[in-house]
Amino acid sequence: MSNSIHTKLLERKEKLAVIGLGYVGLPIALEFAKKMDVIGFDINEARVDLMKNNIDPSNELEASDFEGCSIEFTANVDDLKAATFYVVAVPTPIDESNRPNLAPLLGASNTVGKVLQNGDYVVFESTVYPGCTEEDCIPVLEEIAGLKAGVDFKYGYSPERINPGDKVHTLQNVVKVVSGNDAESLEEIAKIYEEVVGAGVHRASSVKVAEAAKIIENTQRDVNISLINELSIIFDRLDINTYEVLEAAGTKWNFLPFSPGLVGGHCIGVDPYYLTHKAKEVGYHAKVILSGRSVNDSMGFYIGKQTVKKMIAQGKDMNEAKVLIMGATFKENVSDIRNSKVIDVVNELKSFSVKVDLVDPHASSEEMKREYGIELSKNIGSNYDAVIVAVNHEEYTKLEENDFLKFFKDGKGVFVDIKGVFKNKIKELEYWSL
């Protein structure tokens, strides 16, 4: 099929465009750009300017990752007219009531609709509930472009599987799920993704199946972690160390290795709400999923309260107490602060009049201020009543107890190790973990 869109892209007779150049869009755009001509589009001009200078605004990629790539970065919608294959990779957040916020996705659909022409392809990568692509996005494309989906243009869905900070499970070596609106589009989309995904692709039978597959990946992890979080609360009341229990139980071949912690970020802490929203639309109240979300969403407040209890037990006056929280991002060794549950710990401590210093070697203080109204402290003091290691950044896990002792008032206080990495290493301070 020499006239196929796959062949035309490889022969550089046509161009591929990626809309949204964040954690998901930029890596896929650069991979495609090693094989074909790519237009990288983002509405944020400041981010586009950085990428033009081989700088990843998300701090995930090196300057060398931009080398050897045939890519044009732009914030100008008109530049997208040169493309025939569009990949939409914009965020799908939730609002304050935990309902899906489709504004970025529908905005991107509107943008593509303005430049969409006969014979073009549109593939969505954003995580959504089953049916969203065909029920919410495609009608926008059809209305704006004045074209008929499946007749005038083809479409598909291929969920992103990017794991920020993970240098092992990268785009190239994780199987990519792909789908299309018919057999022809599925094959074309699969061939194009096979060019950049060394691990190969899985051809899903429909767009809805592909959407559902993505959303249950994160929902499954969320529910499993919520169980362990609930167990950690129970074990704490029974005066049992959760990590010792998990270590013992983990000796059985089929025990699943999950651990307690704060569940934030833009995937696990968000995606299940997309599924429960759709379930509600079709008349089903998701009990297990929402119960798991409730447990995980409460963990930051629980950690804050437990820290206060430990300090009170040591005779500390909460009006005078000061706590250092180490780590503000949603996970270790990344700069991403989106939906960070560390903020819940901060807010809970402040509700008890506790003074809080928050530090993080990866996060941006400006972003923290803009997103949460909280600035990062520039320096770590030496007069804290408690220290909470909230995120296991490499810089923190290398520290010894003597390093932490310097932070405490009179070398005494409460040491909270959320993820249990300092288990059996803290002897002088009062130690607590989930």
Side-chain angles (χ1 to χ4, degrees):
M1 275 182 72
S2 60
N3 64 340
S4 73
I5 196 162
H6 167 241
T7 304
K8 287 176 181 175
L9 286 169
L10 287 183
E11 292 176 352
R12 302 182 189 271
K13 292 175 181 173
E14 305 282 6
K15 292 184 179 183
L16 179 147
V18 177
I19 290 83
L21 300 172
Y23 283 88
V24 174
L26 183 58
I28 193 96
L30 292 177
E31 283 303 317
F32 277 129
K34 292 172 184 173
K35 300 285 184 78
M36 55 194 77
D37 293 338
V38 173
I39 302 163
F41 175 86
D42 199 286
I43 56 172
N44 188 322
E45 288 190 38
R47 288 176 64 90
V48 169
D49 288 340
L50 286 172
M51 288 179 270
K52 283 179 178 176
N53 290 297
N54 294 0
I55 298 168
D56 175 9
S58 302
N59 299 316
E60 285 286 306
L61 304 174
E62 306 294 330
S64 58
D65 292 316
F66 290 77
E67 292 170 9
C69 296
S70 174
I71 186 164
E72 171 197 351
F73 293 110
T74 182
N76 184 348
V77 176
D78 288 338
D79 292 336
L80 290 172
K81 290 176 181 173
T84 54
F85 191 99
Y86 298 91
V87 175
V88 177
V90 295
T92 42
I94 51 175
D95 64 19
E96 290 176 359
S97 302
N98 295 326
R99 291 173 305 201
N101 173 11
L102 296 179
L105 188 59
L106 297 180
S109 300
N110 190 295
T111 297
V112 174
K114 291 174 183 173
V115 295
L116 197 63
Q117 297 175 60
N118 239 308
D120 288 355
Y121 273 67
V122 185
V123 177
F124 292 87
E125 288 214 2
S126 309
T127 304
V128 292
Y129 47 75
C132 183
T133 299
E134 292 168 314
E135 295 163 16
D136 299 291
C137 302
I138 296 304
V140 173
L141 291 174
E142 290 181 320
E143 183 183 348
I144 302 297
L147 299 171
K148 183 71 180 165
V151 179
D152 302 320
F153 69 93
K154 304 278 191 179
Y155 65 88
Y157 180 80
S158 179
E160 57 89 3
R161 279 177 164 170
I162 296 287
N163 187 21
D166 192 336
K167 304 302 180 189
V168 178
H169 304 101
T170 59
L171 173 68
Q172 297 93 332
N173 56 28
V174 175
V175 173
K176 195 94 162 69
V177 174
V178 297
S179 63
N181 67 284
D182 58 23
E184 182 191 357
S185 61
L186 171 62
E187 204 50 40
E188 284 295 297
I189 292 165
K191 282 180 187 174
I192 289 165
Y193 275 102
E194 279 171 341
E195 293 293 336
V196 295
V197 183
V201 303
H202 172 86
R203 290 162 170 80
S205 60
S206 70
V207 167
K208 271 190 180 179
V209 166
E211 290 169 325
K214 167 59 183 178
I215 211 148
I216 69 163
E217 289 171 22
N218 289 334
T219 301
Q220 183 187 64
R221 283 188 60 75
D222 192 44
V223 170
N224 276 293
I225 295 168
S226 73
L227 171 62
I228 304 299
N229 273 336
E230 187 164 77
L231 289 173
S232 77
I233 294 170
I234 296 168
F235 293 150
D236 187 61
R237 295 187 178 197
L238 297 174
D239 200 25
I240 306 170
N241 185 285
T242 305
Y243 288 93
E244 289 177 8
V245 176
L246 294 175
E247 195 179 332
T251 58
K252 188 162 187 248
W253 77 91
N254 60 353
F255 184 81
L256 302 175
F258 288 93
S259 58
L262 294 169
V263 184
H266 52 100
C267 290
I268 300 179
V270 172
D271 297 351
Y273 286 123
Y274 272 72
L275 187 53
T276 57
H277 167 83
K278 191 62 181 179
K280 192 175 178 183
E281 270 191 4
V282 292
Y284 182 77
H285 177 73
K287 304 172 190 68
V288 174
I289 299 169
L290 284 172
S291 176
R293 277 282 74 233
S294 177
V295 170
N296 285 343
D297 274 348
S298 70
M299 290 309 288
F301 304 106
Y302 170 72
I303 291 163
K305 202 173 265 96
Q306 290 303 109
T307 305
V308 167
K309 283 183 181 178
K310 299 287 180 189
M311 288 192 292
I312 290 172
Q314 287 194 341
K316 308 285 187 183
D317 178 357
M318 289 306 100
N319 290 315
E320 300 295 325
K322 196 170 182 185
V323 174
L324 171 68
I325 299 181
M326 304 176 74
T329 59
F330 90 91
K331 65 181 276 192
E332 64 276 4
N333 305 321
V334 299
S335 62
D336 195 347
I337 62 164
R338 286 179 293 172
N339 195 30
S340 171
K341 294 301 176 183
V342 175
I343 306 307
D344 294 344
V345 183
V346 173
N347 291 336
E348 184 68 7
L349 290 170
K350 285 185 174 179
S351 75
F352 286 94
S353 302
V354 173
K355 296 175 186 69
V356 179
D357 278 356
L358 181 61
V359 296
D360 193 297
H362 297 272
S364 156
S365 189
E366 292 75 27
E367 277 187 35
M368 288 293 295
K369 176 77 172 173
R370 192 163 57 245
E371 188 80 15
Y372 303 110
I374 297 170
E375 288 186 74
L376 296 175
S377 299
K378 290 186 173 68
N379 303 303
I380 295 177
S382 57
N383 60 340
Y384 301 103
D385 299 291
V387 170
I388 301 174
V389 179
V391 185
N392 294 342
H393 290 313
E394 200 176 313
E395 292 89 340
Y396 300 155
T397 57
K398 288 176 179 176
L399 300 177
E400 306 281 338
E401 184 170 24
N402 282 337
D403 298 310
F404 291 112
L405 281 168
K406 296 169 191 170
F407 305 151
F408 285 86
K409 193 186 297 176
D410 306 321
K412 295 175 185 175
V414 179
F415 184 87
V416 176
D417 175 21
I418 291 180
K419 295 290 285 182
V421 289
F422 295 99
K423 183 166 69 78
N424 301 325
K425 294 178 183 176
I426 303 297
K427 308 294 183 187
E428 294 181 46
L429 298 161
E430 180 173 350
Y431 177 87
W432 183 79
S433 76
L434 284 177

